[in-house]
Amino acid sequence: MYGEDLVEVGGEEWRVWNPHRSKLAAAILGGLDPMPIAEGSTVLYLGASTGTTVSHVSDIVGPRGRVFAVEHASRVARELLDRVAAHRPNVTPVLQDARSPREYFSVYGKADVVYSDIAQPDQTGIALANCRAHLRAEGWLMLVIKARSIDVAREPAAVIAGEVARIEGGFDVVQSMGLEPYDRDHAFVLARARAGRISGGP
Ligand code: SAM
């Protein structure tokens, strides 16, 4: 999909998943537990870009699962369509702004997981708005936080703690980790929605 190596194990072909290219791979190597994306999952993926991580999520959920891949930048969305969605029936590209989650109401029902990787100042609020619109009760939020996109001046740890506190209104935060040594810029948060209304965000 993106020049990754292929290896053959026991007569099966496997793709190398590069943690320097994919924050989800870095989080798994960092001890992500549990990993809520599984065979058959429905995943709403915000910030699909050219589809590097989306392609791996598509492999994991398999033919019974589905990935709704939201991307608003037309240049990268073109690559997402050509390189990933055109070859993978379980990937549905959604060329929309993630700030308007009601614009892409789905007939497939609620998502098991909302995965968000958008480097925007209001990234946590956007993720929470998507959870309110599309996440099932007791579903999972996987949130990549880029502290410098939120506030360049404040200490990143303080920025991340503030974002985690916003999530805690409606979620149990199960893990919050840095992604070193693969990525110095981001934190990765795994949280499970509590029953009832999800609060926080715009
Ligand atoms: N998740 C990708 C991966 O691992 O392969 C990388 C994502 S990249 C850091 C962030 C992406 O979010 C960019 O492609 C950007 O265009 C997209 N993005 C930012 N704000 C957005 C928004 N409001 N709606 C939809 N996509 C957005």
Side-chain angles (χ1 to χ4, degrees):
M1 302 299 297
Y2 55 97
E4 74 277 31
D5 287 335
L6 300 174
V7 289
E8 206 177 291
V9 183
E12 279 186 311
E13 192 177 73
W14 294 76
R15 293 201 291 139
V16 171
W17 191 357
N18 184 342
H20 295 280
R21 299 280 303 272
S22 170
K23 286 157 229 148
L24 180 53
I28 291 169
L29 290 177
L32 184 74
D33 184 27
M35 162 58 161
I37 301 173
E39 205 262 319
S41 298
T42 297
V43 178
L44 175 61
Y45 190 113
L46 311 176
S49 188
T50 56
T52 300
T53 301
V54 166
S55 70
H56 291 286
V57 173
S58 159
D59 279 345
I60 294 169
V61 303
R64 290 195 310 114
R66 186 159 287 274
V67 186
F68 293 95
V70 181
E71 175 54 57
H72 73 159
S74 49
R75 195 181 52 81
V76 287
R78 167 55 56 193
E79 265 191 72
L80 171 70
L81 292 173
D82 291 348
R83 289 196 327 172
V84 181
H87 312 283
R88 292 173 171 267
N90 67 359
V91 174
T92 303
V94 180
L95 309 186
Q96 294 274 1
D97 189 334
R99 286 193 176 91
S100 306
R102 306 275 171 194
E103 297 288 313
Y104 41 88
F105 176 78
S106 124
V107 293
Y108 288 92
K110 298 277 185 182
D112 300 305
V113 177
V114 170
Y115 183 102
S116 180
D117 182 13
I118 47 174
Q120 293 282 356
D122 53 345
Q123 51 195 269
T124 304
I126 293 171
L128 290 172
N130 278 269
C131 290
R132 271 197 296 280
H134 299 300
L135 186 63
R136 71 165 167 79
E138 297 176 42
W140 292 87
L141 169 63
M142 304 174 85
L143 178 65
V144 177
I145 299 176
K146 185 168 186 180
R148 279 196 293 131
S149 297
I150 297 168
D151 191 333
V152 274
R154 270 168 70 215
E155 178 63 34
V159 175
I160 289 159
E163 299 306 297
V164 169
R166 291 177 65 188
I167 298 165
E168 281 171 337
F171 289 81
D172 293 321
V173 175
V174 176
Q175 272 183 319
S176 173
M177 65 170 103
L179 297 178
E180 296 85 3
Y182 306 106
D183 186 306
R184 292 191 192 293
D185 257 9
H186 297 84
F188 195 101
V189 176
L190 175 66
R192 184 163 206 183
R194 287 194 287 271
R197 192 177 169 279
I198 296 166
S199 58

